[in-house]
Amino acid sequence: MQRNATTRHPILLVHGLFGFDRIGRFELFHDVKQALRDAGAQVFVPQLSATHDNEVRGQQLLTQIQRVLQGTGATRVNLIGHSQGALASRYAAALAPDQVASVTSVSGPNHGSELADSLRKALIPGRLAEHVAQDLATHFAHFLSLLSGQSALPQSAVAALNALTTEGVGLFNRKYPQGLPSVWGGQGAEQVNGVHYYSWSGTLQDDLIASLDPVQNLCRALSGHFVADQGQNDGFVGRFSSHLGNVIRSDYPLNHLDSLRRTNGFRQLSPDPIDLYTEHATRLQAAGL
């Protein structure tokens, strides 16, 4: 039976690092957007810089929120941010709480990522390796932006990396602490300045079928950079680093990219990650959001 998830306010799906709306026929949030629209929700995917810091991307998001409000006649929006998109969403909510009804962090590095810490240490500032990595990543981001029709957006891979380290997010959190837990691994305030805060995320699981998935293998390889969240991460973000507001669950059997997609072929995810978005839309609906 089709779930009714007609929320009071439009939903904006906010992409993270190297994200985009559409390239050709491929849409990053295709399954999520289609499922939410089928359930009755108004859904938009704002375009942000594929690589930049949280505040630059957050400011871009604020501009697009205003466009959605003007175009729909709505008074507020629900933000669902994947990965770094959660930080841009938090920034927008902190600066314009009258325009944001809720922020939902999906696999968001709300306390930074140990993977980013390892990459930052490997790239010594001012050395050739950093310049090469910066150029390659930034040119790739420009290429993605060109393909997705957003070539005018600024890109900075090093700014993005610095913004995702535990130190970088720590500085961000001092300015925008809304919804953060007061103790490590706890829950944060569910409502701050009229904005409702939610989060969910996953952790890597060991099983034979998953080991045949190249994305799972990539996440498994990257998980070796985690120390504090060893064995409790999705390959990119630690379990407890993802906590924000009302923590729905932070140990779904999903890697970092699983929370964006419905896998095809031999590997079936349970729960279906797309169902998590429609379930959440009904949660927002029940809260009058």
Side-chain angles (χ1 to χ4, degrees), residues 55-284:
E55 291 171 283
V56 167
R57 299 177 83 250
Q59 198 61 46
Q60 294 168 353
L61 178 57
L62 279 173
T63 299
Q64 298 200 40
I65 288 172
Q66 291 164 7
R67 290 177 184 168
V68 169
L69 296 181
Q70 291 169 3
T72 63
T75 57
R76 304 175 83 186
V77 296
N78 293 304
L79 301 176
I80 300 180
H82 179 264
S83 194
Q84 193 186 9
L87 301 175
S89 300
R90 288 174 50 200
Y91 174 90
L95 267 64
D98 57 318
Q99 297 179 2
V100 178
S102 70
V103 169
T104 301
S105 167
V106 179
S107 305
N110 292 303
H111 298 271
S113 168
E114 290 184 81
L115 175 61
D117 291 345
S118 291
L119 290 174
R120 179 67 272 177
K121 290 176 184 176
L123 298 175
I124 301 172
R127 295 288 183 86
L128 179 62
E130 184 190 44
H131 290 304
V132 171
Q134 155 81 346
D135 288 345
L136 286 174
T138 299
H139 284 310
F140 179 63
H142 278 299
F143 179 64
L144 288 177
S145 296
L146 180 64
L147 292 179
S148 61
Q150 297 292 328
S151 57
L153 292 173
Q155 309 292 341
S156 176
V158 168
L161 177 60
N162 290 338
L164 290 170
T165 62
T166 53
E167 180 182 3
V169 178
L171 294 172
F172 178 85
N173 286 346
R174 288 174 203 162
K175 293 190 281 187
Y176 317 108
Q178 294 86 347
L180 291 173
S182 58
V183 296
W184 183 250
Q187 302 219 18
E190 294 188 26
Q191 189 173 348
V192 182
N193 296 332
V195 181
H196 294 249
Y197 289 87
Y198 305 88
S199 62
W200 82 74
S201 60
T203 57
L204 290 167
Q205 307 294 315
D206 289 318
D207 65 76
L208 178 60
I209 294 178
S211 69
L212 301 176
D213 183 346
V215 173
Q216 177 78 358
N217 289 333
L218 170 64
C219 291
R220 176 61 64 192
L222 295 176
S223 71
H225 292 276
F226 288 79
V227 177
D229 283 318
Q230 184 178 14
Q232 292 285 313
N233 63 81
D234 64 9
F236 287 75
V237 176
R239 174 184 179 183
F240 299 119
S241 180
S242 73
H243 284 201
L244 182 76
N246 177 3
V247 181
I248 297 163
R249 183 175 168 183
S250 59
D251 64 345
Y252 285 115
L254 304 171
N255 66 46
H256 192 70
L257 299 179
D258 284 341
S259 53
L260 269 177
R261 60 182 185 148
R262 178 176 281 137
T263 60
N264 297 318
F266 58 87
R267 184 175 170 230
Q268 299 299 319
L269 298 175
S270 180
D272 185 321
I274 307 307
D275 286 346
L276 296 180
Y277 287 87
T278 54
E279 287 173 8
H280 187 58
T282 62
R283 188 177 291 113
L284 297 176

